[in-house]
């Protein structure tokens, strides 16, 4: 589950632990898209549930011996995901390949004899991300309003991380991560 609140805060969890509120209670516009609701400015949040499992167990099923210039099926096995696409390269000089959504078999004729390497990756349309963990913000306890100071942010895990500093006057300053 992912819960959105205060227009920009996202919290994640494996179980839903609280009662629901009426939709009009969640009236805070999302910072990135004001046309969508991102919870409220109090304790309520919009909750979304991921409907499919994340990608896992990706492997390629290819015969041990393949005859050069003869069409051979290569089966790409993927567990989970939604709208999975598979792409990669084969080291026989034939270039890159990309399979359409939810197609798991590539019919390929090797272009040269010898040992080949198949490199492939699978991605899904959910644009998932790894939960952000281990956030430590280290700033001076006291600073004067005219004093320049430095804060250090440490994040031990996560993807698609965006950090903004609220200057206190409505100005949001994006930081490069």
């Amino acid at each position: 589950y992912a819960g959105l609140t205060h227009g920009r805060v996202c919290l994640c969890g494996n179980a839903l632990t609280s009662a629901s509120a009426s939709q009009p209670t969640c009236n805070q516009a999302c910072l990135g898209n004001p046309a969508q609701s991102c919870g409220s400015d109090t304790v309520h949040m919009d909750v979304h549930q991921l409907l499919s499992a994340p990608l896992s167990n990706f492997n390629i099923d290819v015969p041990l011996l393949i005859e050069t210039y003869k069409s051979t099926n290569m089966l790409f096995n993927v567990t989970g995901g939604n709208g999975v696409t598979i792409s990669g390269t084969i080291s026989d000089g034939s270039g890159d390949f990309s399979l359409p959504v939810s197609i798991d078999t590539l019919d390929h004729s090797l272009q040269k004899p010898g040992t080949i390497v198949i490199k492939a990756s699978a991605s899904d349309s959910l644009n998932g991300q790894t939960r952000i963990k281990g956030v430590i913000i280290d700033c001076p306890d006291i600073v004067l309003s005219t004093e320049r100071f430095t804060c250090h942010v440490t994040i031990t895990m996560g993807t698609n991380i965006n950090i903004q500093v609220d200057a206190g006057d409505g100005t949001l300053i994006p930081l490069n991560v």
Side-chain angles (χ1 to χ4, degrees):
Y1 293 92
L4 303 165
T5 187
H6 290 82
R8 64 177 180 248
V9 177
C10 180
L11 305 168
C12 300
N14 293 326
L16 192 58
T17 60
S18 182
S20 63
S22 64
Q23 184 60 32
T25 306
C26 294
N27 57 6
Q28 182 71 39
C30 295
L31 184 64
N33 183 354
Q36 293 181 336
S37 170
C38 283
S40 71
D41 58 358
T42 59
V43 297
H44 298 99
M45 62 178 63
D46 281 307
V47 177
H48 303 270
Q49 182 178 11
L50 184 63
L51 297 177
S52 69
L55 292 175
S56 62
N57 300 327
F58 178 54
N59 64 54
I60 306 169
D61 186 10
V62 180
L64 290 176
L65 293 174
I66 301 174
E67 192 175 327
T68 308
Y69 304 114
K70 183 177 180 186
S71 184
T72 303
N73 284 331
M74 299 178 188
L75 179 63
F76 298 85
N77 298 305
V78 181
T79 304
N82 182 30
V84 175
T85 57
I86 300 170
S87 59
T89 60
I90 300 175
S91 68
D92 66 348
S94 60
D96 297 343
F97 67 88
S98 183
L99 298 177
V101 172
S102 300
I103 301 297
D104 61 0
T105 303
L106 175 66
D107 190 28
H108 183 75
S109 298
L110 294 180
Q111 301 302 305
K112 66 180 184 180
T115 303
I116 62 159
V117 176
I118 302 170
K119 293 182 181 180
S121 63
S123 61
D124 68 10
S125 60
L126 293 177
N127 296 323
Q129 66 183 39
T130 303
R131 181 184 303 177
I132 297 171
K133 290 185 179 180
V135 178
I136 300 169
I137 302 173
D138 182 24
C139 293
D141 291 332
I142 300 173
V143 293
L144 300 173
S145 61
T146 57
E147 182 181 0
R148 186 176 181 103
F149 64 95
T150 302
C151 292
H152 298 277
V153 178
T154 304
I155 303 170
T156 58
M157 185 174 92
T159 57
N160 300 328
I161 299 171
N162 295 307
I163 300 176
Q164 295 179 330
V165 175
D166 186 344
D169 62 358
T171 305
L172 295 175
I173 304 164
L175 300 178
N176 293 329
V177 180

